[in-house]
Amino acid sequence: MSTKSAGLAKKLGYTNIRVLLAGEPGWAKAGYPTYAGREFISKGNIVLIDLRDADKDRTGRIPRSVSIPASSLKDMMSEIPLKAPVVLYSDREKEAARAWRLLRQEGFKKVSLVPGGIEGWVNSGGTLEQGPVVTEIRWQRKPGKGEVSLARFEKAVAGQLRNVAILDVRTREEAAEGKFAKAIHIPLDELSSRLGELPKDKEIFVHCTTGARADMAAQELKKHGYKASFLVAEVECEGTECDIEE
Amino acid sequence: MKKSLRRLAPLCIMVSLLTYGCVQPKSGQDTASQAPATVAKVGDKVLKGKVVGRSNKARTISIKVGKGAKSKTVMVKFDDRTKGLDFAVKGHAAIINCEKRVKDLYALSIKPKLAKLPAGVSEIKPAELKAMLDDRKDVVLIDSRPAKRYQASHLPGAISIPVDKAKEMASLLPPDKDRQLIFYCGGPT
């Protein structure tokens, strides 16, 4: 994409063009912070964190933010949903950058900063809110494209949905430990040659242990004319007892 | 495969001619010992596109091939002999050379699909760009990804000109044609 754009700029007559081939992922991987856009900060499905001390937070904060002072971020880490996009701000750039790196090191994949921190927010016309400090994180993952919601999947498991089949694409070894009683088990690597075992007239909910293989399987099924969606959740089975966790 | 067979056909004919044709082997010489020319194995199929999934447990890669509405995902298996497995990274573009075995496609080798830079355009590495930005050098940094990706996480001071808004590029870029422009997107695609 960037090379295409660079080509266009060249056609427009620009003489001094370079491309960061590593892209945004390469930049972040090098440990350099990235920044969130205004719309994302005000409307995105994010966890917005105020890293300043609680008394500063009380007198004026970016709407929707929760207070986690930088000094206690390490201890509070487990409270932040790992899949949530996290946006951080402070009144000190260095402190925000440190927190950004810490979260990335801990496995958070979507972390960004408010450009210019609280000051940058105000200077660009952002509003502030006051009031008691909010510390409780309320973040709900929204199912992405092609996903089945956990609620619907659980209904299917309980046999409360008609015209639905559950497909388990884990390995034979994994399925031997346990599986959903109602599930059809076909390991992902055998799926292409065993499509005939699946009903074309039903909606198929695919699961694995995280969602990665289920996603691949659902794509494959859709290509062959099946109605399929996949579950993004941690699934662990023992016998016919399965634990599902978002 | 057909292509390579066609390419190989004259070679085979030549080899057979040499062996059995007009050139008579000297009597007493064992013709079987003249091994036909061996050719490096060519896969049955070359898939180019973005890797959309990889499972080490299922030893399978999903790659999105084709453009726009015509694009589809293809599942390819890999084994211990697959070369360049590290290049099969979700979200990165790759070229997979595969071979059909019974019903399944197997990856023989995987190479990264490298972006071609237009003539006169050079690459910049993250460290150099960081130093330029820290030194407050005059650069215009452009994010070519979809606006949604820009919103979630972009480089400091970057402006958003998604590829689909390229028509507006002329009006969004500075008028001075000698200004330093630096483009980036979601990695090597």
Side-chain angles (χ1 to χ4, degrees), chain A residues 145 219, chain B residues 47-53 61-68 70-74 94 113:
Chain A
K145 201 176 154 229
Q219 302 293 342
Chain B
L47 301 168
K48 288 181 192 178
K50 195 166 152 181
V51 175
V52 290
I61 299 162
S62 284
I63 182 164
K64 196 171 186 167
V65 296
K67 281 202 164 74
K70 279 189 178 167
S71 69
K72 57 170 187 177
T73 48
V74 180
K113 196 173 154 196

Side-chain angles (χ1 to χ4, degrees), chain B residues 61-132:
Chain B
I61 299 162
S62 284
I63 182 164
K64 196 171 186 167
V65 296
K67 281 202 164 74
K70 279 189 178 167
S71 69
K72 57 170 187 177
T73 48
V74 180
M75 286 209 306
V76 186
K77 291 186 182 183
F78 60 84
D79 57 21
D80 296 338
R81 287 173 300 172
T82 303
K83 289 189 177 73
L85 192 60
D86 291 348
F87 296 122
V89 181
K90 192 177 172 173
H92 284 220
I95 301 167
I96 308 181
N97 184 8
C98 350
E99 162 183 79
K100 207 169 166 84
R101 296 182 201 157
V102 197
K103 277 186 174 173
D104 296 305
L105 278 175
Y106 275 83
L108 296 170
S109 63
I110 303 163
K111 287 194 192 105
K113 196 173 154 196
L114 298 171
K116 284 194 183 70
L117 288 170
V121 173
S122 64
E123 182 189 355
I124 183 165
K125 299 271 194 219
E128 191 188 345
L129 176 60
K130 179 73 165 73
M132 280 171 101

